[in-house]
Amino acid sequence: RYRAKPLCYHCVESKFRVRLCVKCYFLILYNMGNKSSVMLDEQDIKALQADTGFSGSQIERLYSRFTSLDKGGSGSLSREDFLRIPELAINPLGDRIVHAFFKEGTDDRVNFKDFVTVLAHFRPIKRSQENKLNGRDEKLRFAFKMYDLDDDDAISRDELLAVLHMMVGENISEDQLNSIAERTILEADKDNDQMISFREFCTALDRTDVEQKMSIKFLK
């Protein structure tokens, strides 16, 4: 039976097949002429692993998801492409999460590196693991940005109310939503400026298991 040979010493050879290392995996896709391929060198891959906490095999799987979403084969994703991700499409804050993928001042396209970097904020983690993109502080900052609709580093009552509408729709009356927003501001606003700062936001969620609640199992 035919068995491919490893491309480099990082690849793992088994009885009937070769498990390609991440570098060779991307190299093959690139050489196949796939327009949506992203040429990552070994340093890029190691940097992605260090920054995001994803393993090499997880990065491969994310790349497969990336290319399956990239219907136009452009090597980047639009906002519409992101909404093809079932986990985001059913999330009431899906639009806000998608918005987070797009850096301020850039065009409405996201490359593979940015795609992996943002998804790292939602990677399920163990408490013993430390990662600069996926720790408690970074998850809190990401969550804070979901509510900070105008990006002024503060959450107003109107912003809080708007996000509550996104989350519950018409399941709760307007009076109840207003009551929740006002009570939240009252309890979290320690300096009485009618806004919630990031520090106040963190204090309000001090006892919340943000590490697990802000996780999406998009790798199966």
Side-chain angles (χ1 to χ4, degrees):
R1 183 174 179 178
Y2 174 75
R3 179 175 57 187
K5 293 183 179 179
L7 298 181
C8 74
Y9 66 89
H10 292 295
C11 298
V12 178
E13 185 176 10
S14 63
K15 186 175 181 181
F16 295 112
R17 63 177 182 172
V18 170
R19 170 67 175 174
L20 297 175
C21 69
V22 184
K23 181 180 179 181
C24 291
Y25 176 84
F26 285 113
L27 182 63
I28 288 175
L29 287 178
Y30 181 78
N31 289 333
M32 286 173 64
N34 187 338
K35 290 191 297 182
S36 63
S37 298
V38 177
M39 189 57 176
L40 297 180
D41 59 29
E42 189 169 1
Q43 186 175 357
D44 291 329
I45 295 165
K46 287 182 177 178
L48 270 179
Q49 289 179 270
D51 289 344
T52 65
F54 288 124
S55 66
S57 61
Q58 287 175 325
I59 291 175
E60 289 179 21
R61 288 153 67 190
L62 285 175
Y63 185 77
S64 293
R65 294 205 69 173
F66 180 86
T67 53
S68 69
L69 293 169
D70 180 18
K71 300 299 184 183
S74 65
S76 62
L77 302 179
S78 67
R79 294 175 187 269
E80 291 73 23
D81 291 331
F82 275 96
L83 293 177
R84 295 193 185 98
I85 302 175
E87 297 89 342
L88 293 181
I90 65 173
N91 192 308
L93 293 180
D95 286 339
R96 292 297 298 158
I97 295 172
V98 169
H99 176 72
F101 282 85
F102 296 84
K103 296 179 180 178
E104 186 176 351
T106 63
D107 58 12
D108 283 348
R109 309 293 301 186
V110 171
N111 63 29
F112 178 64
K113 290 181 182 179
D114 291 335
F115 175 76
V116 175
T117 298
V118 175
L119 283 180
H121 290 88
F122 299 95
R123 183 175 61 84
I125 60 173
K126 298 177 181 178
R127 293 186 181 278
S128 58
Q129 290 179 320
E130 295 249 346
N131 185 270
K132 62 185 180 182
L133 287 178
N134 202 30
R136 182 178 178 82
D137 287 346
E138 286 300 319
K139 282 183 178 289
L140 284 169
R141 173 62 71 178
F142 200 97
F144 180 79
K145 288 296 184 181
M146 296 295 100
Y147 291 88
D148 183 15
L149 302 181
D150 59 6
D151 295 321
D152 67 348
D153 290 325
I155 301 171
S156 68
R157 177 189 174 281
D158 288 342
E159 287 174 321
L160 184 58
L161 190 59
V163 174
L164 287 173
H165 272 292
M166 296 178 200
M167 295 174 68
V168 301
E170 299 179 354
N171 296 322
I172 298 180
S173 71
E174 191 68 26
D175 286 343
Q176 288 175 309
L177 288 175
N178 276 294
S179 177
I180 292 171
E182 289 172 3
R183 187 169 68 251
T184 301
I185 293 289
L186 181 65
E187 293 176 357
D189 177 25
K190 302 302 181 183
D191 58 7
N192 298 315
D193 65 350
Q194 299 302 305
M195 306 281 278
I196 300 176
S197 67
F198 177 62
R199 180 173 295 182
E200 291 168 337
F201 183 80
C202 292
T203 300
L205 294 177
D206 185 55
R207 298 183 180 181
T208 302
D209 188 2
V210 175
E211 291 89 341
Q212 297 305 316
K213 290 185 180 298
M214 255 191 76
S215 295
I216 297 176
K217 295 182 179 180
F218 46 85
L219 281 170
K220 298 178 181 178

